[in-house]
Amino acid sequence: MTVLRIRIEAHDLPGSTCPAVPAAHGADADPGYRNVHVAVQRRDRPAGLLAPQPGNAARASWTLECTATPSPAGTDVTGPYVQGRPGDRFVYLSWGAVGETGTFTMFRRAKLLLGAVPAETLLAAVHSGLLVGRLGLTDALGRPLCARVVPPHIAWTAPGRGQGRC
C-alpha cells in the first residue's frame, strides 16, 4: 500500500447561476439554480463535501489523500473521497446551490473515472505520490459539467517529485 495524493485542478467554471431549462424529449425540466458551488463528495456521505468552491471562481482545486494498492487488475486507489468498487473507482464533483443558511443542495454531479487514467500515468503517480487531473467545468451548453468525465475532457498527469503545484 502506497500513499497517493490526487489533486483535481479545475478551470473554466460556469458561474454562480445555472439557468432554468424547460422539459424536452422526455427529460424533466431543470428549475435553475443560484449561488452555485462545486465540491468533492465524500464516499457514503452525500452531505460530506470537501472544500466547496463558488461556481464563478477563476479556478478551483482539491487534494485527496488516498492509498494505492497493487491488484490483479492493476492499481486500486481508495480513500474517503474515492467512490465505487475495485476496477470501477471514481471521484464525484457535486454541483449544488448554497442557500441562505449555508445548506448545499446538490443538483448534478460529474463522475471522474479513475479507470480512465492511463495505466502508465497511474504507475508513475504511485511512484511520485501525486496524480493530477486537470479539467474545465463548463459543458458545451455553458452549464456545470456533469455525467462521466474521461479523457480528453480531463487530462491526467503524474508530475515528478517536487514538480507541480501543491
Side-chain angles (χ1 to χ4, degrees):
M1 183 168 28
T2 303
V3 173
L4 175 67
R5 289 179 301 132
I6 298 176
R7 188 172 60 232
I8 301 165
E9 297 179 351
H11 57 88
D12 190 30
L13 279 76
S16 61
T17 62
C18 182
V21 176
H25 306 294
D28 293 335
D30 189 341
Y33 302 92
R34 298 189 183 284
N35 199 17
V36 171
H37 283 65
V38 61
V40 175
Q41 181 181 315
R42 188 175 176 91
R43 181 185 69 243
D44 298 331
R45 291 180 42 204
L49 301 170
L50 177 63
Q53 303 290 312
N56 63 352
R59 298 187 175 282
S61 68
W62 301 268
T63 300
L64 315 177
E65 299 296 327
C66 304
T67 58
T69 307
S71 75
T75 302
D76 188 30
V77 178
T78 58
Y81 295 93
V82 176
Q83 315 268 349
R85 298 173 189 246
D88 192 29
R89 303 281 191 203
F90 59 91
V91 174
Y92 271 137
L93 291 182
S94 293
W95 293 95
V98 176
E100 304 239 347
T101 62
T103 303
F104 183 98
T105 303
M106 187 184 70
F107 62 89
R108 64 175 27 180
R109 298 188 285 203
K111 189 176 188 177
L112 311 183
L113 298 178
L114 297 177
V117 176
E120 62 278 2
T121 301
L122 185 54
L123 286 175
V126 169
H127 180 71
S128 72
L130 177 63
L131 176 65
V132 178
R134 292 182 180 94
L135 74 160
L137 291 182
T138 300
D139 71 12
L141 300 175
R143 300 170 61 76
L145 182 70
C146 67
R148 298 179 46 197
V149 181
V150 297
H153 298 292
I154 186 167
W156 292 105
T157 61
R161 289 198 187 275
Q163 295 178 358
R165 295 184 305 255
C166 289

